[in-house]
Amino acid sequence: MRTRVSLAAAGALAYSLVASVPAYAFSYDRRTEAALRKLEPETRFNQVCDLAAMEKIRKNEPELKPDRMAIDALAEPERKGDTLSGTGAAVRAGGVWRRLAFTCSATPDRMTVTALRYTLGAPIPEQDWERYGLWR
């Protein structure tokens, strides 16, 4: 089952965190932490993994400059305890969506990512974006 928060809320949260949050050791301001804590744990887990993945990609591959991620675009991620993994994520960078496989571990409260691995895949053809719920 896809977990969706309103695009405005998710976008505002992601926008407020992405530029200043180092991977794994998120240091939230009080307002951002309060917003994350209001999310149900599964949604919060998705959000912190999204943010950590974009930040790690930004650090490792600065030419890409990712600005959006959909953790369940092509397939639902799998949850096992404190680990979320999948091969059906998508990340947008430079207006192009690319496939992404990842494994993300977090603390039990889903507020801090403790480990993250990812593999970037091929660009997703624009004619497939609508089918996967991706946007410009």
Side-chain angles (χ1 to χ4, degrees), residues 73-128:
L74 289 78
E76 288 295 319
E78 183 177 327
R79 286 171 183 75
K80 286 186 181 176
D82 295 332
T83 300
L84 182 65
S85 61
T87 58
V91 63
R92 186 179 75 180
V96 175
W97 285 95
R98 296 176 62 133
R99 295 175 184 270
L100 181 80
F102 71 94
T103 300
C104 175
S105 298
T107 55
D109 67 357
R110 309 296 188 240
M111 291 296 292
T112 304
V113 171
T114 59
L116 175 71
R117 289 188 322 263
Y118 73 89
T119 303
L120 279 172
I124 299 169
E126 192 167 349
Q127 65 264 23
D128 294 339

Side-chain angles (χ1 to χ4, degrees), residues 56-66 98 118 120:
K56 190 167 185 179
I57 293 167
R58 193 176 287 112
K59 271 182 149 174
N60 293 344
E61 303 175 58
E63 71 282 0
L64 290 183
K65 298 181 178 99
R98 296 176 62 133
Y118 73 89
L120 279 172

Side-chain angles (χ1 to χ4, degrees), residues 1-134:
M1 172 172 83
R2 286 187 174 210
T3 303
R4 298 284 184 209
V5 276
S6 80
L7 288 176
L13 178 61
Y15 182 79
S16 69
L17 292 175
V18 169
S20 62
V21 178
Y24 313 131
F26 293 155
S27 136
Y28 304 121
D29 63 27
R30 276 187 253 144
R31 192 176 93 189
T32 302
E33 183 175 348
L36 279 170
R37 290 198 185 280
K38 287 179 184 176
L39 298 174
E40 53 113 352
E42 183 176 313
T43 302
R44 182 168 54 238
F45 199 4
N46 289 356
Q47 288 292 311
V48 298
C49 288
D50 279 357
L51 295 168
M54 285 190 297
E55 184 63 24
K56 190 167 185 179
I57 293 167
R58 193 176 287 112
K59 271 182 149 174
N60 293 344
E61 303 175 58
E63 71 282 0
L64 290 183
K65 298 181 178 99
D67 62 352
R68 295 284 187 263
M69 185 166 155
I71 208 161
D72 58 356
L74 289 78
E76 288 295 319
E78 183 177 327
R79 286 171 183 75
K80 286 186 181 176
D82 295 332
T83 300
L84 182 65
S85 61
T87 58
V91 63
R92 186 179 75 180
V96 175
W97 285 95
R98 296 176 62 133
R99 295 175 184 270
L100 181 80
F102 71 94
T103 300
C104 175
S105 298
T107 55
D109 67 357
R110 309 296 188 240
M111 291 296 292
T112 304
V113 171
T114 59
L116 175 71
R117 289 188 322 263
Y118 73 89
T119 303
L120 279 172
I124 299 169
E126 192 167 349
Q127 65 264 23
D128 294 339
W129 291 5
E130 185 175 340
R131 176 174 64 172
Y132 296 127
L134 305 174

